[in-house]
Amino acid sequence: MHPCRVCTMPTTIFADYGRMPLANGFLLPEQVADERFYRLQMSFCPSCGMIQVVDLPDPAEMFHDHYAYFAQTSQGMITHFRGFAADVIRRLGLGPHSFVVEPGSNDGIMLRNFAAAGIRHLGVDPAANVAAAASQIGVRTRCAFFGEDTARAIRAEEGPADAIVAANVIAHIPDINSVGRGIRALLKDDGVFVFEAPYAGDVIQNVAYDQFYDEHIFLFSCHSVQAAFARHGLELFDAEHQPTHGGSMRYWLAPAGARPATEAVGHWLGQEEAIGLGRAATYQHFFARCQENRSALRAILEAAKAEGKRVVGYGATAKSTTVANFCAITPDLVEFICDVTPTKQDKLTPGMHIPVRPYSAFSDHYPDYAVLFAWSHAEEIFAKEEAFRSQGGRWITFVPRVEVV
Ligand code: TMP
Ligand code: ZN
């Protein structure tokens, strides 16, 4: 029996991706012997609708003082967060008198916009290296895990928050009930909690199973967010779909009864019903499609190898750890993965140990094929890599389907 992390009712396991390393566990050759693995299985809670990882490695192994992910490596994300912040400031009428808190503030990609608008703010992030990068650009940051204790401490020291904003982090915290209690305790009675996360509707429809990894403990829908936060006196009053990370949802919540729900909430709940997000059969069908996707991707890579083609990967994303390990993509199939993040370069990818090289390894000597592991940035990447295709290079993509383009 695997109890739901939200409501403690029994969940149903629908997918087993096998042995997995930590998604951001890029490592040096001498660290290979100590590499840690867990078994990545996903389950669905028929009671509250939450999609979740069954067993987890220790969070202290995932978020630490040499965390590999820096959000500001993507121009698209910088622009996205500028817009997100402007929207929150405008919609909530925030000004110099306001106080904004961001759990999981990473390198300050979002809060820098509140700082620039002269708004009192505080970021919270457990990864000391990214928190230090944020402090350097003038974003006030506390190095801590976010939960009820941290939230209460912030309220006691700095007062209640007008807005709590978050992106791609609420799903990373295993004790979501502590997060819910903490948010409610920190928020003013007329405050708003707004967060973004990859959206279950997109993941299920596009077979984007690489959204599943150790840091993505939950995959949210409007239905499951509504249920999870209602337990803590917070009501979903708006939902806005976003193109980021291959399809995300921006959830707006407020203390119960404080704000009327927009039509969007009803719309998305209806959509979720229509695509079967409430039914276990939907998830079983989804996993069958994951297995088909794996066979198709392996077939392309094996064929390229048999023809003696050069294949490299583009973007050593955390998501690629799931794909590479589930599909057993070894360095004989993908020579290296290029990535602009200095902390990942010259390391090996988790589990499959594909070398990570700087961007120049790709651009100095184009391969025949590049596997687009950073598929959620496809538009940005295709636009700037036109020369690769015009010189005969081809992309191998696997979301929403496996194909060579
Ligand atoms: P993400 O999918 O979690 O946003 O991670 C994107 C990764 O891809 C990150 O390691 C940076 C890398 N990347 C590049 O190397 N080049 C690019 O053009 C983009 C957009 C991302
Ligand atoms: Zn549940």
Side-chain angles (χ1 to χ4, degrees), residues 265-338:
V265 175
H267 165 79
W268 286 109
L269 291 173
Q271 277 287 110
E272 291 174 6
E273 183 77 36
I275 64 171
L277 286 194
R279 291 193 301 272
T282 303
Y283 300 95
Q284 267 124 31
H285 177 61
F286 166 83
F287 188 56
R289 291 173 69 202
C290 293
Q291 290 165 302
E292 288 165 20
N293 187 303
R294 169 173 62 183
S295 304
L297 181 57
R298 279 201 60 90
I300 288 179
L301 296 176
E302 295 280 8
K305 181 182 165 186
E307 290 169 24
K309 302 288 191 197
R310 275 189 71 223
V311 182
V312 311
Y314 195 106
T317 57
K319 291 196 258 302
S320 70
T321 297
T322 299
V323 177
N325 284 273
F326 180 55
C327 302
I329 300 175
T330 40
D332 60 315
L333 294 176
V334 170
E335 188 183 315
F336 62 82
I337 304 182
C338 73

Side-chain angles (χ1 to χ4, degrees), residues 42-55:
M42 298 300 300
S43 73
F44 165 71
C45 176
S47 304
C48 74
M50 193 64 82
I51 301 167
Q52 53 204 282
V53 174
V54 176
D55 289 315

Side-chain angles (χ1 to χ4, degrees), residues 4 6-7 45 48:
C4 174
V6 179
C7 74
C45 176
C48 74

Side-chain angles (χ1 to χ4, degrees), residues 1-229:
M1 212 288 267
H2 299 280
C4 174
R5 293 174 187 275
V6 179
C7 74
T8 72
M9 297 299 281
T11 61
T12 313
I13 295 178
F14 66 86
D16 186 348
Y17 299 97
R19 194 178 84 134
M20 278 291 154
L22 304 190
N24 269 311
F26 295 89
L27 70 179
L28 295 167
E30 58 268 30
Q31 295 170 319
V32 165
D34 298 326
E35 193 170 20
R36 300 288 301 271
F37 294 87
Y38 70 105
R39 182 171 173 189
L40 176 60
Q41 298 181 101
M42 298 300 300
S43 73
F44 165 71
C45 176
S47 304
C48 74
M50 193 64 82
I51 301 167
Q52 53 204 282
V53 174
V54 176
D55 289 315
L56 278 181
D58 178 357
E61 288 184 27
M62 298 188 267
F63 309 106
H64 39 57
D65 57 4
H66 46 273
Y67 187 58
Y69 181 70
F70 286 75
Q72 293 186 75
T73 46
S74 161
Q75 193 52 49
M77 293 310 286
I78 292 174
T79 308
H80 174 76
F81 284 115
R82 191 179 304 132
F84 187 172
D87 194 33
V88 171
I89 292 169
R90 183 184 46 76
R91 193 158 166 183
L92 305 184
L94 302 181
H97 52 281
S98 310
F99 180 40
V100 177
V101 177
E102 183 187 7
S105 44
N106 196 266
D107 56 7
I109 188 168
M110 169 125 77
L111 280 184
R112 61 186 292 180
N113 300 293
F114 290 93
I119 295 169
R120 187 160 67 92
H121 63 273
L122 181 68
V124 182
D125 203 293
N129 60 332
V130 293
S135 300
Q136 262 167 23
I137 59 164
V139 170
R140 214 159 60 84
T141 309
R142 178 192 281 243
C143 186
F145 280 94
F146 187 87
E148 186 176 9
D149 293 349
T150 304
R152 289 190 184 280
I154 294 171
R155 183 176 174 126
E157 290 164 34
E158 313 222 12
D162 296 277
I164 299 174
V165 296
N168 308 315
V169 66
I170 299 302
H172 297 211
I173 308 175
D175 191 350
I176 191 170
N177 288 311
S178 169
V179 171
R181 287 191 300 271
I183 299 277
R184 184 62 196 92
L186 178 54
L187 208 56
K188 284 186 182 169
D189 287 342
D190 62 351
V192 165
F193 168 42
V194 49
F195 76 98
E196 287 182 2
Y199 180 54
D202 294 290
V203 170
I204 299 300
Q205 290 196 294
N206 297 330
V207 200
Y209 68 89
D210 58 350
Q211 289 288 3
F212 298 149
Y213 55 86
D214 53 330
E215 296 179 21
H216 286 183
I217 298 156
F218 300 102
L219 174 65
F220 296 127
S221 61
C222 288
H223 176 81
S224 63
V225 163
Q226 192 177 50
F229 290 97

Side-chain angles (χ1 to χ4, degrees), residues 26 68-71 73-77 213 245 314-319 338-341 344 359 373-377 380-381 384-385:
F26 295 89
Y69 181 70
F70 286 75
T73 46
S74 161
Q75 193 52 49
M77 293 310 286
Y213 55 86
H245 291 293
Y314 195 106
T317 57
K319 291 196 258 302
C338 73
D339 197 286
V340 296
T341 317
K344 294 181 184 177
Y359 173 71
F373 286 118
W375 61 267
S376 64
H377 304 279
E380 175 177 348
I381 293 170
K384 69 183 177 193
E385 302 298 355

